[in-house]
Amino acid sequence: MKAFIKGISYYLPSAIVTNEDLVNDFPEWNVEKVAAKVGVDSRHLAAADETAGDMAEKAAINLFKEYSINPQNIDFILLCTQSPDYHLPSTACLLQHKLGIPTSAGAFDYDLGCSGCVYGMAIAKGLIYAGIAKNVLLLTAETYTKYLHPSDKSNRSIFGDGAAACLISTDGFAEIGEFVLGTDGSGADMLIIRSGGARMKDKTSKVQLDEEEHYQYDDYLYMNGSEIFNFTLDAVPELFKQILRKNNIKKDDVDYYVFHQANKFMLNTIRKVCQLSKDKFYINLSETGNTVSSTVLIGLKDCLVHKNIIPGMHVMVTGFGVGLSWGGVILKF
């Protein structure tokens, strides 16, 4: 039994915020300097009444149309999101109904961020290998921008909203290889929204300065950029080596790399540490920003459209971030 990617599509909201728009809020900001470092010129923002579930639905519809997929043939739905429509039920259950997928299909959400696409591929492969499903609809959707404080110019410059859809099946154009996954919950405070869950149900309006004198709000997304950067430089090079070992291939056997599109500076640093050539390493978040769990699928789709990835290639994909968590796999096109 093998598992394959059979189709990839995505959806981006219509509203676009450019760096010039951000300068209106932060006139002291050097837009050229920041854009050069993070690699983002513009990002898409979900409308006020547009949820992650809405975006996932649109990404799935795009997938169905592009690949002539009959939703009646889907027997499992996975939705990766940290901004679900409700605390309960799972947004995936709502999508089963909206997309016309049979009631015999399984469906659930899983709460994960930047590594979520890779984790979803692993779950989907497991479902197929176990004989539980034959056609798994993997959806990733996030509206991080709704959880950013208006004064948080750093994160507002990086993150954008978006959704992606991928059909994982018993046949397709990219065989899914062996996974390496990891978790370190001791770093949970490095990327967090403290209020809104059972631990801190009500908003606190509390704000404090971290050690780098960045404002940390309980009620909005907080990211300790320097600690996340350090974590990434510790985890990803080792992840890179483990993926090669797990898939029994050498570095020279990998034709292309699509890593989570965190920001340009971080990606270039990873590339240099892992000693990877520019022409084999994907970086393109100028018009989307960091779309969290959707960056890998958006990147793979972009590479397929522009023929950076063609049949016969071995492609390494990785995700890393909130959790702290990380994961990677080899895709054989």
Side-chain angles (χ1 to χ4, degrees):
M1 180 68 71
K2 295 182 178 181
F4 297 82
I5 293 176
K6 199 169 185 175
I8 305 172
S9 294
Y10 62 87
Y11 164 81
L12 298 171
S14 59
I16 297 174
V17 174
T18 66
N19 289 346
E20 288 70 26
D21 294 327
L22 289 179
V23 170
N24 293 330
D25 293 337
F26 308 107
E28 77 286 358
W29 197 40
N30 186 325
V31 62
E32 291 81 10
K33 182 178 179 180
V34 175
K37 183 176 181 179
V38 302
V40 182
D41 297 317
S42 62
R43 67 287 296 153
H44 294 252
L45 268 65
D49 61 349
E50 187 174 34
T51 69
D54 294 332
M55 296 194 305
E57 179 184 1
K58 292 169 184 175
I61 290 171
N62 290 342
L63 180 76
F64 297 164
K65 290 180 178 178
E66 184 175 359
Y67 293 91
S68 300
I69 295 168
N70 183 349
Q72 288 291 310
N73 292 330
I74 291 172
D75 47 16
F76 218 103
I77 308 165
L78 300 172
L79 172 62
C80 177
T81 187
Q82 296 186 308
S83 46
D85 288 15
Y86 305 101
H87 279 298
L88 57 95
S90 288
T91 305
C93 294
L94 306 179
L95 290 169
Q96 171 273 325
H97 175 67
K98 290 180 178 180
L99 293 170
I101 292 169
T103 56
S104 56
F108 65 83
D109 299 353
Y110 63 103
D111 181 339
L112 206 55
C114 306
S115 62
C117 172
V118 176
Y119 272 71
M121 289 181 183
I123 297 169
K125 180 178 177 180
L127 290 168
I128 290 172
Y129 270 50
I132 296 170
K134 292 183 178 179
N135 293 295
V136 180
L137 178 62
L138 170 60
L139 302 171
T140 59
E142 208 62 76
T143 56
Y144 262 30
T145 67
K146 294 180 184 289
Y147 303 98
L148 302 180
H149 192 276
S151 69
D152 188 354
K153 63 182 177 182
S154 176
N155 284 326
R156 286 183 63 191
S157 71
I158 294 172
F159 289 105
D161 298 329
C166 176
L167 182 63
I168 296 176
S169 186
T170 53
D171 64 283
F173 54 76
E175 182 183 348
I176 300 172
E178 300 299 319
F179 288 89
V180 176
L181 305 171
T183 309
D184 182 4
S186 69
D189 288 348
M190 296 302 101
L191 215 172
I192 191 170
I193 301 174
R194 292 187 176 277
S195 65
R199 182 68 61 189
M200 190 184 293
K201 185 176 180 181
D202 299 323
K203 291 187 176 182
T204 69
S205 299
K206 181 180 177 181
V207 57
Q208 61 184 0
L209 289 174
D210 65 14
E211 65 272 14
E212 295 185 349
E213 297 191 348
H214 293 145
Y215 287 108
Q216 180 177 358
Y217 298 88
D218 282 354
D219 305 330
Y220 294 90
L221 184 144
Y222 167 73
M223 179 168 68
N224 187 319
S226 62
E227 289 298 324
I228 291 294
F229 182 79
N230 291 336
F231 146 71
T232 302
L233 288 190
D234 285 339
V236 176
E238 182 58 29
L239 171 65
F240 164 75
K241 296 174 185 177
Q242 291 177 1
I243 296 168
L244 294 178
R245 289 197 295 266
K246 190 74 174 288
N247 287 272
N248 196 29
I249 62 173
K250 297 179 181 179
K251 178 180 173 181
D252 291 342
D253 296 326
V254 181
D255 301 293
Y256 209 72
Y257 298 87
V258 179
F259 286 14
H260 164 57
Q261 301 292 288
N263 66 68
K264 184 178 180 181
F265 178 74
M266 183 179 289
L267 285 165
N268 273 324
T269 304
I270 293 169
R271 181 183 60 79
K272 292 173 184 176
V273 171
C274 295
Q275 298 181 319
L276 305 176
S277 63
K278 285 185 178 180
D279 61 345
K280 296 173 66 175
F281 194 82
Y282 179 81
I283 299 179
N284 186 10
L285 34 58
S286 63
E287 296 180 359
T288 61
N290 180 339
T291 55
V292 195
S293 57
S294 294
T295 67
V296 168
L297 288 177
I298 291 174
L300 286 172
K301 182 65 174 182
D302 186 38
C303 289
L304 289 169
V305 169
H306 293 96
K307 300 190 184 306
N308 300 107
I309 296 174
I310 59 176
M313 281 188 168
H314 287 73
V315 177
M316 181 184 291
V317 301
T318 70
F320 42 87
V322 61
L324 300 169
S325 62
W326 57 93
V329 68
I330 295 291
L331 301 177
K332 305 169 189 176
F333 285 81

